[in-house]
């Protein structure tokens, strides 16, 4: 197999009003895991050029089963966490720091520099 599970389809919507196909699980040591590019929560748009839009779940599964040895997937990366059965990668990677962790100290430093510059000019 390809080493991942999918959810979704016209008959089993994973997200309300969205019949797209999503990666629900990457199987450890499977083909997708070893390749490293596919992530849980990715929306799969096409398989070997075949659009997955408006397919029933079982028809999408059949496309994956018959995809062959060299498989080309067009995906859309998940932009934000989804509610539902999509798992998380438990590989010790953090999600990173929010942008505010850099902006707030940076703005405080800039404000202090402006204040010092203005005080210095007053003394001249």
């Amino acid at each position: 197999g390809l080493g991942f599970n999918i959810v979704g389809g016209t008959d089993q919507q994973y997200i309300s009003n969205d019949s797209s196909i999503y990666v629900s699980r990457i199987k450890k040591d499977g083909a997708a895991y070893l390749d490293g590019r596919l992530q849980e929560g990715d929306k799969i748009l096409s398989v070997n050029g075949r659009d997955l839009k408006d397919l029933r779940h079982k028809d999408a599964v059949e496309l994956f089963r018959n995809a062959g040895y060299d498989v080309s997937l067009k995906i859309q990366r998940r932009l934000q966490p989804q509610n539902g059965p999509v798992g998380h990668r438990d590989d010790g990677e953090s999600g990173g720091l929010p942008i505010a962790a850099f902006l707030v100290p940076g703005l405080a430093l800039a404000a202090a520099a402006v204040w010092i510059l203005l005080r210095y000019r007053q003394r001249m």
Side-chain angles (χ1 to χ4, degrees):
L2 300 174
F4 62 92
N5 294 352
I6 60 170
V7 292
T10 57
D11 56 336
Q12 298 180 20
Q13 292 183 350
Y14 171 65
I15 296 175
S16 295
N17 300 318
D18 182 359
S19 60
S20 301
I21 302 296
Y22 291 88
V23 176
S24 63
R25 183 172 158 253
I26 305 285
K27 296 176 183 176
K28 193 127 181 133
D29 298 324
Y33 178 85
L34 296 172
D35 178 77
R37 291 179 283 180
L38 195 63
Q39 296 179 12
E40 292 175 354
D42 286 349
K43 180 192 284 191
I44 303 176
L45 305 175
S46 68
V47 179
N48 293 338
R50 171 79 199 277
D51 191 6
L52 295 183
K53 195 173 195 175
D54 298 325
L55 286 180
R56 292 179 302 172
H57 181 80
K58 72 175 190 170
D59 295 330
V61 168
E62 199 60 32
L63 273 178
F64 285 105
R65 285 190 177 143
N66 296 320
Y69 183 76
D70 291 321
V71 179
S72 174
L73 300 178
K74 183 176 181 183
I75 61 120
Q76 180 179 342
R77 188 71 67 210
R78 178 178 64 180
L79 298 178
Q80 59 188 6
Q82 302 287 336
N83 291 330
V86 174
H88 65 283
R89 295 180 72 104
D90 193 17
D91 53 10
E93 292 180 22
S94 73
L97 293 173
I99 195 164
F102 298 104
L103 284 180
V104 172
L107 289 173
L109 186 59
V114 168
W115 183 80
I116 291 169
L117 181 63
L118 290 174
R119 296 281 293 168
Y120 178 75
R121 282 190 165 181
Q122 282 180 343
R123 293 186 180 181
M124 291 180 82

